[in-house]
Amino acid sequence: MTSHARLALVGGTKTLTTEAPPWPTFDDSDRRALLDVLESRVWGGYHPTVGELERSFAAFHGANHGIATANGTVSLEIALQAAGVAPGDEVIVPPITFVASAAAILRIGAKPVFVDIHPGTLNIDLDAAKDAIAARSANGAHVRAIVAVHFAGLPVDMDQLMALCGDHQLVLIEDCAHAHGAEWRGRKVGSFGSFGSFSFQASKNMTAGEGGMLTAIDPAIAERARGIVNQGRRTGGAWYDHVTLGTNARLTGFQAALLLRQLERLPEVMARKARSADRLRAGLAEIGGLSPLPGVIDPRVTAHGNHLFCVRVHPAAFEGVSRDVIVQALNAEGLPASPGYPRPLYNNQVFKDHAHVVTPCPVAEELCRSVFWLPHNVLLGDDRWL
Ligand SMILES: *Cc1c(COP(=O)(O)O)cnc(C)c1O
């Protein structure tokens, strides 16, 4: 665009003349897979595709066990319970994430301790987490666990996180809802903590409309989670034999059939998104005033999930024009930019009504005013689109 072109926001012609690449995508193999489940009449319970997905998804992520669930919210609740987090326990969580990361802690009767994020990565600030653990213990409380979110698909610094968990005997639950296939030093997310919790909700990097998955290394806690998902049944046990207190959080064969195909396509999809993200990063560097987050990706991140492409706006570079106006201008040009979360989670009514702890979160507060993101499907196009 030349400097004389009029912005679409003020009546100029839209820059992007085609829609963003669609999500989800499907082809005839998805149609056939769904018909196979349909015709099998095994619509509920455990169609063979569910076990197949559990095994393939876990193996792909370097975990020993996969436990399919109804969604990525109950999977977090089940992970916390199966890992032994009890009512009253304190659990560290960042305030910049989807509500489920922290609501799951409340749902099992535990107490969220909100810890700020790092301005360069938007992941939890692990130095601040360390300080929070010390401050809580000075108050006579005890932090038991951490829900670490690989935000936007960028792995948390797992070297520092594993050291922190080791030093304080923290239970680690990885919220991998944005991070299918993401890697830290060649090791996939979901294989570090007691559990990795994945979502297959409609907007995520793999989707069946709804759905979730837990990955685990330890067979005993994996079996505990599997029992909770399936009405307290033991693996191989009788249908009406209920050993533990469970619920019904099963995934269906229809969902698993779609997800198996997406898992096959994931490496290619990730490679395409990585290429688009690199191009976008290079292009933004020429503009100034808009910094991609992170600016430089830590070389220990060997694969980024690229669920969201986050950008920090520096209004001073735009004569004070706000992030919100820039998002409106981008939308008008045909780019589906989003201002993202309107407030840190703890400012939602639900947390005011339930016991929680907030440590100072200036970075999170500032981010809600200055960052926007692009959804992953923007990165799915070819060179013509981005
Ligand atoms: C989407 C999401 C969840 C919840 O997943 P659902 O499948 O929608 O229940 C949890 N954590 C994060 C970070 C998410 O983005």
Side-chain angles (χ1 to χ4, degrees):
M1 187 168 34
T2 73
S3 57
H4 302 294
R6 277 226 296 166
L7 294 174
L9 185 65
V10 292
T13 313
K14 252 171 126 174
T15 309
L16 294 162
T17 51
T18 55
E19 294 286 304
W23 182 256
T25 58
F26 59 88
D27 61 23
D28 276 343
S29 73
D30 299 287
R31 284 197 186 85
R32 270 199 308 279
L34 285 174
L35 276 174
D36 285 347
V37 180
L38 183 84
E39 289 165 2
S40 77
R41 300 181 197 276
V42 185
W43 293 2
Y46 282 100
H47 186 276
T49 53
V50 177
E52 212 184 309
L53 176 70
E54 290 179 332
R55 287 186 294 276
S56 315
F57 192 88
F60 181 75
H61 285 89
N64 297 337
H65 304 277
I67 303 111
T69 66
N71 58 64
T73 300
V74 291
S75 63
L76 284 169
E77 297 171 22
I78 293 166
L80 287 161
Q81 282 180 326
V85 178
D89 282 349
E90 299 200 348
V91 183
I92 288 179
V93 65
I96 298 298
T97 175
F98 185 61
V99 65
S101 311
I105 299 166
L106 291 180
R107 294 275 301 168
I108 65 149
K111 192 194 275 190
V113 176
F114 289 101
V115 167
D116 209 2
I117 54 168
H118 189 280
T121 64
L122 309 187
N123 277 329
I124 191 159
D125 180 332
L126 293 167
D127 293 328
K130 189 175 173 182
D131 293 346
I133 292 167
R136 293 310 295 155
S137 115
N139 275 334
H142 173 65
V143 172
R144 181 74 204 287
I146 180 165
V147 174
V149 184
H150 303 296
F151 187 78
L154 180 78
V156 173
D157 179 334
M158 296 311 296
D159 295 355
Q160 200 183 348
L161 178 55
M162 296 311 279
L164 184 75
C165 290
D167 288 349
H168 299 278
Q169 276 103 53
L170 298 182
V171 169
L172 170 59
I173 308 296
E174 294 174 73
D175 186 343
C176 307
H178 296 179
H180 313 67
E183 278 179 21
W184 176 261
R185 295 203 216 211
R187 180 168 163 193
K188 296 270 199 307
V189 300
S191 68
F192 292 87
S194 292
F195 287 102
S197 171
F198 293 83
S199 166
F200 303 127
Q201 179 266 345
S203 72
K204 301 294 158 68
N205 296 348
M206 286 175 59
T207 184
E210 301 285 354
M213 180 73 76
L214 289 172
T215 50
I217 302 292
D218 182 82
I221 68 158
E223 177 63 15
R224 271 211 292 282
R226 193 176 289 287
I228 300 174
V229 168
N230 191 23
Q231 305 286 19
R233 295 183 179 101
R234 239 187 328 236
T235 299
W239 191 250
Y240 288 127
D241 186 16
H242 309 281
V243 186
T244 55
L245 179 60
T247 184
N248 175 4
R250 294 186 300 261
L251 186 87
T252 69
F254 292 105
Q255 293 164 292
L258 289 173
L259 293 165
L260 273 167
R261 254 124 225 102
Q262 289 179 35
L263 183 60
E264 277 171 29
R265 296 194 279 256
L266 186 63
E268 183 206 319
V269 168
M270 287 181 70
R272 189 180 324 155
K273 289 198 293 187
R275 282 197 300 276
S276 300
D278 283 348
R279 214 165 43 242
L280 194 49
R281 209 174 286 285
L284 284 171
E286 289 171 22
I287 297 177
L290 297 174
S291 338
L293 290 164
V296 178
I297 296 178
D298 189 320
R300 293 172 296 174
V301 172
T302 43
H304 190 312
N306 279 313
H307 177 57
L308 305 169
F309 188 97
C310 299
V311 180
R312 174 169 277 119
V313 175
H314 304 280
F318 301 100
E319 296 172 12
V321 171
S322 71
R323 183 271 318 263
D324 287 351
V325 171
I326 286 175
V327 167
Q328 282 166 24
L330 291 171
N331 291 164
E333 301 297 342
L335 192 65
S338 163
Y341 304 126
R343 62 190 77 90
L345 278 184
Y346 51 76
N347 281 338
N348 284 287
Q349 186 65 39
V350 53
F351 296 102
K352 299 189 201 290
D353 291 344
H354 290 86
H356 68 284
V357 177
V358 183
T359 63
C361 295
V363 179
E365 298 275 345
E366 193 269 343
L367 167 136
C368 293
R369 292 186 294 271
S370 64
V371 169
F372 69 83
W373 67 53
L374 304 173
H376 67 122
N377 58 302
V378 162
L379 305 175
L380 286 176
D382 56 20
D383 297 14
R384 276 170 311 174
W385 212 80
L386 245 190

mmCIF file of all heavy atoms in Angstrom, residues 70-76 97-101 149-151 175-178 197-204 209-212 307 341, ligand 1:
data_model
loop_
_atom_site.group_PDB
_atom_site.id
_atom_site.type_symbol
_atom_site.label_atom_id
_atom_site.label_comp_id
_atom_site.label_asym_id
_atom_site.label_seq_id
_atom_site.Cartn_x
_atom_site.Cartn_y
_atom_site.Cartn_z
ATOM 1 N N ALA A 70 -13.930 -35.225 26.835
ATOM 2 C CA ALA A 70 -14.988 -34.492 26.136
ATOM 3 C C ALA A 70 -14.533 -33.106 25.694
ATOM 4 O O ALA A 70 -15.028 -32.572 24.703
ATOM 5 C CB ALA A 70 -16.219 -34.376 27.037
ATOM 6 N N ASN A 71 -13.610 -32.495 26.428
ATOM 7 C CA ASN A 71 -13.111 -31.163 26.064
ATOM 8 C C ASN A 71 -11.865 -30.839 26.887
ATOM 9 O O ASN A 71 -11.487 -31.601 27.782
ATOM 10 C CB ASN A 71 -14.206 -30.087 26.243
ATOM 11 C CG ASN A 71 -14.734 -30.050 27.659
ATOM 12 O OD1 ASN A 71 -14.003 -29.742 28.593
ATOM 13 N ND2 ASN A 71 -16.004 -30.406 27.823
ATOM 14 N N GLY A 72 -11.274 -29.681 26.587
ATOM 15 C CA GLY A 72 -10.030 -29.293 27.247
ATOM 16 C C GLY A 72 -10.237 -28.616 28.591
ATOM 17 O O GLY A 72 -9.261 -28.224 29.240
ATOM 18 N N THR A 73 -11.487 -28.460 29.005
ATOM 19 C CA THR A 73 -11.795 -27.910 30.331
ATOM 20 C C THR A 73 -11.897 -29.032 31.349
ATOM 21 O O THR A 73 -11.183 -29.027 32.363
ATOM 22 C CB THR A 73 -13.113 -27.111 30.286
ATOM 23 O OG1 THR A 73 -12.965 -26.038 29.355
ATOM 24 C CG2 THR A 73 -13.459 -26.555 31.652
ATOM 25 N N VAL A 74 -12.756 -30.015 31.076
ATOM 26 C CA VAL A 74 -12.841 -31.157 32.014
ATOM 27 C C VAL A 74 -11.498 -31.873 32.077
ATOM 28 O O VAL A 74 -11.137 -32.425 33.126
ATOM 29 C CB VAL A 74 -13.974 -32.155 31.677
ATOM 30 C CG1 VAL A 74 -15.331 -31.529 31.910
ATOM 31 C CG2 VAL A 74 -13.852 -32.738 30.299
ATOM 32 N N SER A 75 -10.739 -31.870 30.989
ATOM 33 C CA SER A 75 -9.442 -32.551 31.027
ATOM 34 C C SER A 75 -8.526 -31.907 32.068
ATOM 35 O O SER A 75 -7.784 -32.608 32.763
ATOM 36 C CB SER A 75 -8.787 -32.552 29.646
ATOM 37 O OG SER A 75 -8.522 -31.240 29.229
ATOM 38 N N LEU A 76 -8.605 -30.575 32.223
ATOM 39 C CA LEU A 76 -7.785 -29.899 33.242
ATOM 40 C C LEU A 76 -8.261 -30.274 34.645
ATOM 41 O O LEU A 76 -7.454 -30.533 35.542
ATOM 42 C CB LEU A 76 -7.860 -28.373 33.066
ATOM 43 C CG LEU A 76 -7.045 -27.772 31.925
ATOM 44 C CD1 LEU A 76 -7.424 -26.302 31.714
ATOM 45 C CD2 LEU A 76 -5.545 -27.889 32.201
ATOM 46 N N THR A 97 -4.857 -16.128 29.894
ATOM 47 C CA THR A 97 -5.142 -17.447 29.333
ATOM 48 C C THR A 97 -6.654 -17.549 29.267
ATOM 49 O O THR A 97 -7.368 -16.665 29.750
ATOM 50 C CB THR A 97 -4.540 -18.569 30.210
ATOM 51 O OG1 THR A 97 -4.945 -19.844 29.684
ATOM 52 C CG2 THR A 97 -4.989 -18.491 31.658
ATOM 53 N N PHE A 98 -7.150 -18.621 28.642
ATOM 54 C CA PHE A 98 -8.594 -18.835 28.633
ATOM 55 C C PHE A 98 -9.051 -19.175 30.052
ATOM 56 O O PHE A 98 -8.306 -19.769 30.838
ATOM 57 C CB PHE A 98 -8.944 -19.954 27.647
ATOM 58 C CG PHE A 98 -10.422 -20.157 27.485
ATOM 59 C CD1 PHE A 98 -11.222 -19.123 27.013
ATOM 60 C CD2 PHE A 98 -11.009 -21.360 27.815
ATOM 61 C CE1 PHE A 98 -12.591 -19.303 26.881
ATOM 62 C CE2 PHE A 98 -12.372 -21.549 27.669
ATOM 63 C CZ PHE A 98 -13.170 -20.516 27.206
ATOM 64 N N VAL A 99 -10.280 -18.810 30.371
ATOM 65 C CA VAL A 99 -10.798 -18.944 31.739
ATOM 66 C C VAL A 99 -10.636 -20.352 32.308
ATOM 67 O O VAL A 99 -10.418 -20.542 33.512
ATOM 68 C CB VAL A 99 -12.290 -18.494 31.802
ATOM 69 C CG1 VAL A 99 -13.193 -19.404 30.975
ATOM 70 C CG2 VAL A 99 -12.775 -18.423 33.244
ATOM 71 N N ALA A 100 -10.706 -21.367 31.436
ATOM 72 C CA ALA A 100 -10.689 -22.753 31.915
ATOM 73 C C ALA A 100 -9.417 -23.086 32.692
ATOM 74 O O ALA A 100 -9.456 -23.884 33.636
ATOM 75 C CB ALA A 100 -10.833 -23.712 30.734
ATOM 76 N N SER A 101 -8.272 -22.482 32.322
ATOM 77 C CA SER A 101 -7.007 -22.799 32.995
ATOM 78 C C SER A 101 -7.121 -22.549 34.497
ATOM 79 O O SER A 101 -6.555 -23.287 35.301
ATOM 80 C CB SER A 101 -5.858 -21.937 32.457
ATOM 81 O OG SER A 101 -5.814 -21.943 31.056
ATOM 82 N N VAL A 149 0.677 -22.685 31.077
ATOM 83 C CA VAL A 149 0.004 -22.577 29.775
ATOM 84 C C VAL A 149 1.057 -22.257 28.713
ATOM 85 O O VAL A 149 1.790 -21.272 28.844
ATOM 86 C CB VAL A 149 -1.051 -21.450 29.804
ATOM 87 C CG1 VAL A 149 -1.826 -21.405 28.490
ATOM 88 C CG2 VAL A 149 -1.998 -21.624 30.987
ATOM 89 N N HIS A 150 1.139 -23.062 27.687
ATOM 90 C CA HIS A 150 2.029 -22.764 26.559
ATOM 91 C C HIS A 150 1.267 -21.786 25.666
ATOM 92 O O HIS A 150 0.632 -22.174 24.675
ATOM 93 C CB HIS A 150 2.398 -24.043 25.808
ATOM 94 C CG HIS A 150 3.054 -25.084 26.676
ATOM 95 N ND1 HIS A 150 4.272 -24.878 27.282
ATOM 96 C CD2 HIS A 150 2.650 -26.322 27.052
ATOM 97 C CE1 HIS A 150 4.611 -25.959 27.978
ATOM 98 N NE2 HIS A 150 3.636 -26.849 27.856
ATOM 99 N N PHE A 151 1.311 -20.504 26.062
ATOM 100 C CA PHE A 151 0.401 -19.515 25.480
ATOM 101 C C PHE A 151 0.697 -19.260 24.000
ATOM 102 O O PHE A 151 1.851 -19.070 23.607
ATOM 103 C CB PHE A 151 0.469 -18.199 26.267
ATOM 104 C CG PHE A 151 -0.566 -17.221 25.821
ATOM 105 C CD1 PHE A 151 -1.879 -17.354 26.228
ATOM 106 C CD2 PHE A 151 -0.243 -16.195 24.943
ATOM 107 C CE1 PHE A 151 -2.858 -16.476 25.787
ATOM 108 C CE2 PHE A 151 -1.217 -15.315 24.493
ATOM 109 C CZ PHE A 151 -2.513 -15.457 24.920
ATOM 110 N N ASP A 175 -1.009 -26.901 30.358
ATOM 111 C CA ASP A 175 -2.186 -26.596 29.547
ATOM 112 C C ASP A 175 -1.696 -26.377 28.118
ATOM 113 O O ASP A 175 -1.146 -25.337 27.783
ATOM 114 C CB ASP A 175 -2.916 -25.362 30.088
ATOM 115 C CG ASP A 175 -4.233 -25.113 29.356
ATOM 116 O OD1 ASP A 175 -4.415 -25.677 28.253
ATOM 117 O OD2 ASP A 175 -5.068 -24.342 29.872
ATOM 118 N N CYS A 176 -1.908 -27.412 27.309
ATOM 119 C CA CYS A 176 -1.388 -27.429 25.929
ATOM 120 C C CYS A 176 -2.491 -27.107 24.927
ATOM 121 O O CYS A 176 -2.381 -27.477 23.747
ATOM 122 C CB CYS A 176 -0.817 -28.807 25.609
ATOM 123 S SG CYS A 176 0.402 -29.417 26.779
ATOM 124 N N ALA A 177 -3.545 -26.409 25.377
ATOM 125 C CA ALA A 177 -4.697 -26.165 24.498
ATOM 126 C C ALA A 177 -4.332 -25.377 23.243
ATOM 127 O O ALA A 177 -5.038 -25.453 22.239
ATOM 128 C CB ALA A 177 -5.799 -25.441 25.274
ATOM 129 N N HIS A 178 -3.226 -24.611 23.295
ATOM 130 C CA HIS A 178 -2.786 -23.839 22.123
ATOM 131 C C HIS A 178 -1.611 -24.504 21.412
ATOM 132 O O HIS A 178 -1.081 -23.924 20.464
ATOM 133 C CB HIS A 178 -2.283 -22.448 22.556
ATOM 134 C CG HIS A 178 -3.320 -21.562 23.164
ATOM 135 N ND1 HIS A 178 -3.034 -20.295 23.628
ATOM 136 C CD2 HIS A 178 -4.644 -21.750 23.383
ATOM 137 C CE1 HIS A 178 -4.135 -19.740 24.117
ATOM 138 N NE2 HIS A 178 -5.125 -20.603 23.982
ATOM 139 N N SER A 197 -2.621 -31.280 28.940
ATOM 140 C CA SER A 197 -4.057 -31.198 28.670
ATOM 141 C C SER A 197 -4.262 -30.449 27.355
ATOM 142 O O SER A 197 -3.847 -29.295 27.218
ATOM 143 C CB SER A 197 -4.747 -30.461 29.825
ATOM 144 O OG SER A 197 -6.095 -30.180 29.484
ATOM 145 N N PHE A 198 -4.894 -31.116 26.401
ATOM 146 C CA PHE A 198 -5.102 -30.547 25.056
ATOM 147 C C PHE A 198 -6.589 -30.315 24.813
ATOM 148 O O PHE A 198 -7.430 -31.024 25.380
ATOM 149 C CB PHE A 198 -4.569 -31.497 23.983
ATOM 150 C CG PHE A 198 -3.065 -31.655 24.007
ATOM 151 C CD1 PHE A 198 -2.466 -32.550 24.889
ATOM 152 C CD2 PHE A 198 -2.252 -30.922 23.150
ATOM 153 C CE1 PHE A 198 -1.076 -32.705 24.913
ATOM 154 C CE2 PHE A 198 -0.869 -31.072 23.164
ATOM 155 C CZ PHE A 198 -0.278 -31.963 24.046
ATOM 156 N N SER A 199 -6.896 -29.360 23.971
ATOM 157 C CA SER A 199 -8.286 -29.078 23.583
ATOM 158 C C SER A 199 -8.445 -29.281 22.080
ATOM 159 O O SER A 199 -7.555 -28.934 21.307
ATOM 160 C CB SER A 199 -8.644 -27.635 23.942
ATOM 161 O OG SER A 199 -9.850 -27.260 23.292
ATOM 162 N N PHE A 200 -9.614 -29.805 21.707
ATOM 163 C CA PHE A 200 -9.965 -29.921 20.285
ATOM 164 C C PHE A 200 -11.215 -29.090 19.987
ATOM 165 O O PHE A 200 -12.024 -29.437 19.139
ATOM 166 C CB PHE A 200 -10.199 -31.394 19.910
ATOM 167 C CG PHE A 200 -9.022 -32.307 20.201
ATOM 168 C CD1 PHE A 200 -9.209 -33.468 20.952
ATOM 169 C CD2 PHE A 200 -7.756 -32.017 19.731
ATOM 170 C CE1 PHE A 200 -8.136 -34.323 21.223
ATOM 171 C CE2 PHE A 200 -6.675 -32.859 19.995
ATOM 172 C CZ PHE A 200 -6.873 -34.021 20.736
ATOM 173 N N GLN A 201 -11.379 -28.004 20.737
ATOM 174 C CA GLN A 201 -12.491 -27.077 20.536
ATOM 175 C C GLN A 201 -12.339 -26.432 19.150
ATOM 176 O O GLN A 201 -11.258 -26.455 18.555
ATOM 177 C CB GLN A 201 -12.460 -26.054 21.692
ATOM 178 C CG GLN A 201 -13.529 -24.977 21.663
ATOM 179 C CD GLN A 201 -13.031 -23.724 20.986
ATOM 180 O OE1 GLN A 201 -11.830 -23.555 20.785
ATOM 181 N NE2 GLN A 201 -13.944 -22.856 20.609
ATOM 182 N N ALA A 202 -13.420 -25.851 18.671
ATOM 183 C CA ALA A 202 -13.500 -25.437 17.270
ATOM 184 C C ALA A 202 -12.361 -24.523 16.803
ATOM 185 O O ALA A 202 -11.955 -24.591 15.648
ATOM 186 C CB ALA A 202 -14.845 -24.757 17.021
ATOM 187 N N SER A 203 -11.841 -23.665 17.685
ATOM 188 C CA SER A 203 -10.821 -22.700 17.235
ATOM 189 C C SER A 203 -9.408 -23.267 17.312
ATOM 190 O O SER A 203 -8.464 -22.626 16.861
ATOM 191 C CB SER A 203 -10.890 -21.435 18.094
ATOM 192 O OG SER A 203 -10.381 -21.702 19.394
ATOM 193 N N LYS A 204 -9.227 -24.463 17.876
ATOM 194 C CA LYS A 204 -7.874 -24.926 18.194
ATOM 195 C C LYS A 204 -7.147 -25.528 16.986
ATOM 196 O O LYS A 204 -7.741 -25.721 15.928
ATOM 197 C CB LYS A 204 -7.948 -25.927 19.359
ATOM 198 C CG LYS A 204 -8.580 -25.334 20.630
ATOM 199 C CD LYS A 204 -7.763 -24.236 21.268
ATOM 200 C CE LYS A 204 -8.536 -23.306 22.169
ATOM 201 N NZ LYS A 204 -9.036 -23.876 23.399
ATOM 202 N N GLY A 209 -14.751 -29.928 16.734
ATOM 203 C CA GLY A 209 -15.843 -29.114 17.266
ATOM 204 C C GLY A 209 -15.689 -28.975 18.775
ATOM 205 O O GLY A 209 -15.639 -27.879 19.315
ATOM 206 N N GLU A 210 -15.630 -30.109 19.455
ATOM 207 C CA GLU A 210 -15.308 -30.195 20.877
ATOM 208 C C GLU A 210 -14.399 -31.403 21.033
ATOM 209 O O GLU A 210 -14.295 -32.229 20.128
ATOM 210 C CB GLU A 210 -16.570 -30.400 21.737
ATOM 211 C CG GLU A 210 -17.629 -29.310 21.609
ATOM 212 C CD GLU A 210 -17.281 -28.016 22.326
ATOM 213 O OE1 GLU A 210 -16.259 -27.967 23.045
ATOM 214 O OE2 GLU A 210 -18.040 -27.042 22.143
ATOM 215 N N GLY A 211 -13.803 -31.518 22.212
ATOM 216 C CA GLY A 211 -12.959 -32.682 22.480
ATOM 217 C C GLY A 211 -11.718 -32.277 23.234
ATOM 218 O O GLY A 211 -11.363 -31.095 23.275
ATOM 219 N N GLY A 212 -11.090 -33.247 23.870
ATOM 220 C CA GLY A 212 -9.866 -32.972 24.617
ATOM 221 C C GLY A 212 -9.030 -34.229 24.742
ATOM 222 O O GLY A 212 -9.457 -35.321 24.344
ATOM 223 N N HIS A 307 -0.647 -21.084 17.461
ATOM 224 C CA HIS A 307 -2.115 -21.016 17.558
ATOM 225 C C HIS A 307 -2.593 -19.579 17.391
ATOM 226 O O HIS A 307 -3.624 -19.321 16.780
ATOM 227 C CB HIS A 307 -2.583 -21.576 18.897
ATOM 228 C CG HIS A 307 -4.053 -21.458 19.078
ATOM 229 N ND1 HIS A 307 -4.950 -22.008 18.181
ATOM 230 C CD2 HIS A 307 -4.805 -20.836 20.021
ATOM 231 C CE1 HIS A 307 -6.189 -21.736 18.585
ATOM 232 N NE2 HIS A 307 -6.124 -21.025 19.686
ATOM 233 N N TYR A 341 -8.011 -11.079 25.079
ATOM 234 C CA TYR A 341 -8.698 -11.054 26.373
ATOM 235 C C TYR A 341 -8.834 -9.615 26.858
ATOM 236 O O TYR A 341 -7.861 -8.870 26.896
ATOM 237 C CB TYR A 341 -7.921 -11.869 27.407
ATOM 238 C CG TYR A 341 -7.657 -13.307 26.988
ATOM 239 C CD1 TYR A 341 -6.367 -13.815 26.988
ATOM 240 C CD2 TYR A 341 -8.698 -14.149 26.611
ATOM 241 C CE1 TYR A 341 -6.107 -15.130 26.616
ATOM 242 C CE2 TYR A 341 -8.452 -15.464 26.226
ATOM 243 C CZ TYR A 341 -7.154 -15.952 26.232
ATOM 244 O OH TYR A 341 -6.898 -17.241 25.861
HETATM 245 C C1 LIG B 1 -9.631 -23.596 24.756
HETATM 246 C C2 LIG B 1 -8.820 -23.615 25.993
HETATM 247 C C3 LIG B 1 -9.128 -24.460 27.069
HETATM 248 C C4 LIG B 1 -10.404 -25.225 27.172
HETATM 249 O O1 LIG B 1 -10.683 -26.077 26.163
HETATM 250 P P1 LIG B 1 -12.188 -26.450 25.744
HETATM 251 O O2 LIG B 1 -11.976 -27.656 24.894
HETATM 252 O O3 LIG B 1 -12.760 -25.288 25.011
HETATM 253 O O4 LIG B 1 -12.948 -26.777 26.987
HETATM 254 C C5 LIG B 1 -8.244 -24.512 28.132
HETATM 255 N N1 LIG B 1 -7.145 -23.755 28.149
HETATM 256 C C6 LIG B 1 -6.829 -22.905 27.164
HETATM 257 C C7 LIG B 1 -5.572 -22.101 27.254
HETATM 258 C C8 LIG B 1 -7.676 -22.791 26.056
HETATM 259 O O5 LIG B 1 -7.382 -21.915 25.085
#
